[in-house]
Amino acid sequence: MLNIVLFGPPGAGKGTQSERLVEKYKLIHLSTGDIFRANIGGGTELGTLAKSFIDKGQLVPDEVTINMLKSEVEKHPNAAGFVFDGFPRTTPQAEALDAFLASLNSEINAMIALDVPEDELKERLKKRALDSGRTDDADPKIIESRINVYKNETAPVKGFYEGQSKFHAVNGLGSIDEITERLFNTVDNL
Ligand code: AMP
């Protein structure tokens, strides 16, 4: 299996680039943000719970997120691998993912981070707010909170994968195609 964690702050381009990776390497795209939004749209209990955190720019609690992620992985027993997009976002999530994949005789092959400066992220999120329909993109205060949560809770996850020599970074500035090319090079050299 080829299991990749695509990492980066909100607005780094994880969703767009995940689609490219999924197509080229025939993987399953698992975006915890997309799954939460689908639950919100479907009016499920999980959606109601998730919305109360998402609307404040906070993380959904680990236990809820981890259980959801596991059941999504289990829906694809014959997958060639996964692109994890927006997960893990905390060190306990990373530990749980390792243990879960080990139970499936698998592992994370690489975490690849998209490097984008903060000013550019804010610009991108402002533009995305115009057509994404995401309420958490539209409010500068929520964006600020998401970026702070990223710095405090999510950025340390990098160290977890560095400790396993699985961390790679690519420049997230440039055209979408240029960034895709950098990602493909990184994956092909794993
Ligand atoms: P995203 O689409 O990845 O930007 O996620 C949107 C929101 O969903 C985040 O701001 C969090 O509130 C929530 N979320 C997504 N993934 C996670 C995760 N792995 N852990 C906790 N909350 C998450």
Side-chain angles (χ1 to χ4, degrees), residues 10-11 14 31-34 36-37 50 53-55 57-62 65 68 85-90 93 128 134 136-137 146:
K14 298 189 293 293
S31 156
T32 40
D34 284 352
F36 284 134
R37 283 185 287 277
F53 293 93
I54 291 174
D55 282 353
Q58 293 172 0
L59 293 182
V60 178
D62 279 342
T65 306
M68 177 184 85
D85 162 8
F87 185 95
R89 258 178 160 98
T90 64
Q93 288 182 14
R128 190 168 84 183
R134 283 181 55 168
D136 61 343
D137 283 343
R146 287 161 65 203

Side-chain angles (χ1 to χ4, degrees), residues 69-139:
L69 193 275
K70 285 184 187 171
S71 71
E72 288 297 322
V73 169
E74 281 166 351
K75 285 180 190 166
H76 304 278
N78 299 317
F82 295 88
V83 175
F84 296 100
D85 162 8
F87 185 95
R89 258 178 160 98
T90 64
T91 302
Q93 288 182 14
E95 287 164 353
L97 181 61
D98 262 14
F100 176 59
L101 290 177
S103 77
L104 303 175
N105 290 318
S106 190
E107 61 172 355
I108 290 297
N109 300 85
M111 165 183 265
I112 310 178
L114 293 170
D115 269 345
V116 179
E118 195 167 322
D119 287 353
E120 168 75 12
L121 293 174
K122 287 183 179 160
E123 279 307 309
R124 288 188 190 180
L125 288 171
K126 240 191 261 167
K127 281 194 199 128
R128 190 168 84 183
L130 299 175
D131 54 20
S132 73
R134 283 181 55 168
T135 48
D136 61 343
D137 283 343
D139 182 340

